[in-house]
Amino acid sequence: MIADRGFNLVPVIDLKHGRAVHAVAGRRDTYQTARGVLGDGDDPVALALAMARACRTKRLYVADLDAIAGLPPQCALVDSLASAGLELWLDAGVTGPADAWPWLEADDKLTVVLGLETIRGPRALAEAARRDPSRFAFSLDLVAGEPRRAPGWETGGMAELFGAAMDAGIRRMLAIDLARVGTGDGPWGHGMVEAWRRAGATGELLAGGGVRGPDDLMTLAQTGFHGALVATALHRGMLQERLFGV
């Protein structure tokens, strides 16, 4: 069973203009309102709670797509999710400390995700995390297996990128392939686990993108990931009946 392996399932909500949308292949301009067996994105809080219940967790990964695109963050909606008792991992397009630290003050349980596609290099990563590394997670963002780096990053391999997060004191990390999100392409990421280990990383590494059902979760656990981000498989009802009986 996945639960017996200590493998963590983290549901994902992508927010856009006040709604939860269904992310597919990283083409954010085409995302439509999420709809599925657990509810729809017109009520993001109710949908998020249903997804968390299905995963038997209070943790929720939130991508504020407005903020990632450079628009004002959806603060009221994020606050509503937190007020519902969810423990948020929030990617709000943080570029450096000035973007990150207000979120720490707004919610003392919130984890700020520093994404490779927005954080402006290893120095900005370290400066943001020094406030309290335990309140941060690092996301190695990929597109079809290639890192999507914000300005400020030198060309470097996966191990070097994970190493920068380790140097900043961050021990919670994600590897997310945006091209695989919502596609049901199946498990991936063996090279990510190897790179994470080469970096001497410790803590938690989660995978995001392509999960179709329980068999894929088992494969990711066997590969060495400590958990997975899930959304499409939940919307389609592919996990609920067998989630903890694999």
Side-chain angles (χ1 to χ4, degrees):
M1 291 173 66
I2 287 292
D4 293 341
R5 291 172 172 265
F7 189 86
N8 297 307
L9 294 182
V10 181
V12 177
I13 287 282
D14 291 275
L15 303 178
K16 186 175 182 181
H17 307 329
R19 297 172 297 127
V21 295
H22 184 199
V24 180
R27 297 188 292 268
R28 291 167 176 157
D29 58 334
T30 67
Y31 290 178
Q32 302 297 312
T33 303
R35 303 192 189 283
V37 299
L38 295 176
D40 64 65
D42 291 326
D43 189 342
V45 176
L47 178 59
L49 288 170
M51 295 173 76
R53 284 193 296 269
C55 293
R56 300 184 184 180
T57 185
K58 290 187 176 181
R59 195 190 306 187
L60 177 73
Y61 182 96
V62 180
D64 184 340
L65 300 181
D66 289 1
I68 291 171
L71 300 173
Q74 300 174 76
C75 297
L77 184 47
V78 171
D79 182 64
S80 294
L81 290 166
S83 296
L86 296 166
E87 298 172 2
L88 308 184
W89 283 34
L90 175 67
D91 183 347
V94 167
T95 62
D99 299 335
W101 292 352
W103 290 112
L104 302 182
E105 297 160 1
D107 179 356
D108 61 8
K109 294 183 179 179
L110 183 144
T111 294
V112 176
V113 176
L114 303 177
L116 182 64
E117 69 170 319
T118 59
I119 190 73
R120 298 298 182 94
R123 179 175 295 180
L125 177 77
E127 289 177 351
R130 69 179 171 82
R131 182 76 170 262
D132 183 353
S134 70
R135 298 286 307 280
F136 290 90
F138 171 67
S139 177
L140 201 165
D141 301 321
L142 307 142
V143 177
E146 293 298 321
R148 175 178 279 186
R149 300 177 179 87
W153 291 93
E154 300 293 335
T155 300
M158 310 298 183
E160 288 80 5
L161 295 169
F162 284 128
M166 279 292 295
D167 291 344
I170 296 172
R171 298 296 180 265
R172 293 179 291 176
M173 304 191 202
L174 309 102
I176 302 175
D177 196 323
L178 301 174
R180 300 179 73 90
V181 168
T183 64
D185 283 346
W188 63 283
H190 188 270
M192 292 298 102
V193 174
E194 290 183 345
W196 183 81
R197 289 172 176 163
R198 286 200 308 274
T202 59
E204 185 177 27
L205 178 64
L206 279 67
V211 171
R212 296 167 297 191
D215 291 342
D216 289 347
L217 297 176
M218 182 64 76
T219 297
L220 289 170
Q222 292 170 343
T223 297
F225 286 101
H226 305 104
L229 305 181
V230 290
T232 299
L234 287 173
H235 296 319
R236 293 176 178 172
M238 302 302 292
L239 294 177
Q240 283 81 320
E241 289 186 4
R242 295 177 54 210
L243 191 55
F244 291 90
V246 178

